């Protein structure tokens, strides 16, 4: 992909998310440093694999920036235990490759449909392990420059990170542990088993974070919410913390459903998903041109 001339396109964001909900935005696909610098000059949102996003039916007015194929560097993964990978690398492929190479550390992330950058941002994980277990260092574009930060500067906790405002992760350095393909595969069986109760249809994974010491899914189930439906958004019968899209769900449907769940569950539930657009949406990332008036590059 050539860098400098990136042509933004008008897209329906729902098509780029796993929940398949959300209106239009201007999509900038950056294939190299120069195009990423250009794309992040104005306020923007960063899109990974779109597997933890609820996007408003109205879309977003700001740019949506995503990393192009040059940032998906799975083929560069040659079995070294200490490895830099592009932030658009698909996590499922990485988890499989690490297993085949006999490298341990990522098996707890089996079944998480993220890109590496999105997995760092969410500190994706299961009770078998989180991305932060293997993350050593990241590279990011910040204010038009590429900078590196150690993992411990990112405030990674359960489903939480504190990236500097305006940062786009471009690469991540993971440190895996030597094992054998057989041992890693054996460890994956338990992770796979833990996922057996999760729905296989359109969703964005768990909607809410687990409250300390409990499972939001269990609480939602116990409150009798499975099968609760607003429009085409429904609480999955398989797992209480999964909202599924039966076909034509809107963000309004999903919001109303989340509200109905919160009314029925006595414990306060914090949303795990990131929200774009609408009154409760997160603010866009600041573009660097407003912060560094003379520009860069
Ligand atoms: P997106 O959803 O695209 O974005 C999430 C956030 O990360 C956004 O704020 C976005 O701006 C930011 N972001 C993405 N890329 C970058 C980047 N390069 N630089 C800066 N910011 C960036 N999650 C778990 O933790 N554990 C699970 O077991 C799990 N199971 C799931 C199962 C299913 C079927 C589904 C659909 C989802 C599941 N999830 C799970 C949720 C989701 O996969 C994770 O939160 C994942 O880390 C999101 O990554 P993404 O690339 O899709 O990011
Ligand atoms: N449970 C119920 N009813 C339900 C769902 C769960 O009774 O509808 C019970 C289960 O029987 C079990 C307990 O609650 O006793 C925990 O359930 P589960 O093992 O499914 O784990 P979870 O806490 O609901 C978490 C993560 C998932 C991750 C799984 C597997 C969160 C919010 N969820 O779910 O992550 O895949 O563990 O380790 O932390 C995600 O974050 O998007 C996600 C899918």
């Amino acid at each position: 992909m050539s860098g400098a001339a990136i042509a933004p396109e008008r897209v329906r964001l729902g098509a780029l998310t796993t929940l398949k909900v959300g209106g239009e935005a201007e999509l900038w696909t950056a294939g190299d440093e120069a195009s990423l610098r250009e794309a992040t000059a104005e306020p923007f949102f960063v899109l990974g694999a779109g597997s933890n996003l609820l996007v408003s039916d109205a879309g977003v007015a700001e740019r949506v920036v995503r990393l192009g194929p040059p940032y998906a560097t799975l083929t560069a993964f040659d079995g070294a235990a200490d490895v830099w990978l592009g932030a658009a690398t698909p996590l499922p492929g990485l988890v499989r490759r690490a297993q085949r190479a006999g490298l341990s550390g990522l098996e707890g992330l089996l079944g998480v449909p993220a890109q590496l950058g999105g997995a760092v941002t969410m500190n994706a994980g299961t009770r078998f392990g989180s991305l932060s277990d293997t993350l050593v260092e990241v590279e990011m574009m910040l204010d038009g420059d590429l900078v590196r930060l150690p993992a411990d500067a990112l405030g990674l906790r359960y489903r939480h990170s504190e990236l500097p405002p305006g940062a786009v992760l471009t690469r991540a350095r993971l440190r895996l542990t030597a094992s054998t393909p057989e041992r890693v595969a054996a460890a994956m069986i338990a992770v796979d088993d833990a996922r057996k109760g999760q729905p296989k249809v359109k969703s964005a994974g768990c909607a809410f974070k687990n409250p300390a010491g409990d499972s939001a899914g269990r609480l939602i189930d116990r409150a009798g919410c499975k099968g609760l439906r607003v429009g085409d958004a429904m609480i999955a019968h398989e797992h209480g913390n999964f909202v599924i899209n039966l076909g034509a769900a809107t963000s309004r449907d999903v919001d109303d459903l989340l509200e109905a769940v919160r009314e029925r569950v006595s414990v306060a539930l914090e949303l795990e998903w990131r929200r774009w657009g609408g009154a409760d949406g997160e603010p866009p990332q600041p573009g660097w041109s407003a912060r560094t008036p003379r520009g860069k590059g």
Side-chain angles (χ1 to χ4, degrees):
M1 183 176 299
S2 104
I6 43 170
E9 32 174 349
R10 198 82 207 151
V11 297
R12 205 180 63 78
L13 290 170
L16 301 177
T17 68
T18 56
L19 189 60
K20 303 295 173 205
V21 170
E24 291 189 359
E26 193 177 84
L27 180 69
W28 293 61
T29 304
D32 64 9
E33 196 183 325
S35 59
L36 186 56
R37 182 173 298 117
E38 184 186 348
T40 56
E42 303 298 323
F44 63 95
F45 289 94
V46 197
L47 179 69
S51 65
N52 201 46
L53 287 180
L54 174 58
V55 181
S56 151
D57 297 327
V60 292
E62 294 80 9
R63 313 172 159 187
V64 169
V65 177
R66 74 169 169 190
L67 300 171
Y71 289 97
T73 62
L74 196 53
T75 49
F77 185 44
D78 59 2
D82 192 327
V83 61
W84 277 101
L85 290 154
T89 301
L91 196 66
L94 182 58
V95 168
R96 269 196 310 277
R97 272 203 193 215
Q99 181 270 323
R100 284 205 295 269
L103 293 170
S104 171
L106 293 175
E107 52 273 25
L109 294 158
L110 182 73
V112 180
Q115 289 185 356
L116 184 55
V120 171
T121 308
M122 296 311 305
N123 190 23
T126 63
R127 64 175 178 275
F128 304 95
S130 299
L131 204 270
S132 56
D133 299 343
T134 56
L135 188 71
V136 181
E137 201 177 346
V138 293
E139 179 192 82
M140 57 180 75
M141 179 155 288
L142 186 59
D143 291 339
D145 291 323
L146 281 183
V147 297
R148 287 185 181 184
L149 281 183
D152 61 14
L154 301 180
L156 297 173
R157 302 198 300 272
Y158 167 67
R159 305 291 196 273
H160 177 88
S161 66
E162 286 153 24
L163 299 186
V168 181
L169 295 164
T170 48
R171 297 198 300 154
R173 180 179 164 202
L174 304 180
R175 190 175 293 144
L176 306 174
T177 311
S179 180
T180 66
E182 295 72 24
R183 266 195 239 138
V184 180
M188 283 176 167
I189 293 171
V191 190
D192 196 39
D193 278 350
R195 290 195 167 276
K196 291 242 161 72
Q198 297 181 358
K200 305 286 178 281
V201 292
K202 287 178 226 168
S203 81
C206 287
F208 299 105
K209 294 185 186 183
N210 282 341
D214 209 338
S215 155
R218 195 189 70 80
L219 291 166
I220 296 167
D221 183 2
R222 206 184 51 184
C225 297
K226 282 183 171 175
L228 197 64
R229 180 172 171 180
V230 178
D232 262 357
M234 191 178 88
I235 299 298
H237 288 290
E238 297 91 333
H239 195 292
N241 206 0
F242 277 68
V243 172
I244 58 171
N245 181 354
L246 297 171
T250 62
S251 68
R252 183 70 190 274
D253 294 339
V254 177
D255 271 332
D256 290 351
L257 181 61
L258 296 178
E259 193 48 42
V261 166
R262 281 185 157 133
E263 276 168 17
R264 286 168 172 76
V265 175
S266 49
V267 178
L269 294 174
E270 185 192 343
L271 203 65
E272 175 185 314
W273 294 340
R274 299 294 184 101
R275 298 194 53 121
W276 291 0
D280 302 326
E282 62 187 76
Q285 301 296 324
W288 56 258
S289 67
R291 297 172 7 138
T292 51
R294 270 188 294 278
K296 304 205 175 194

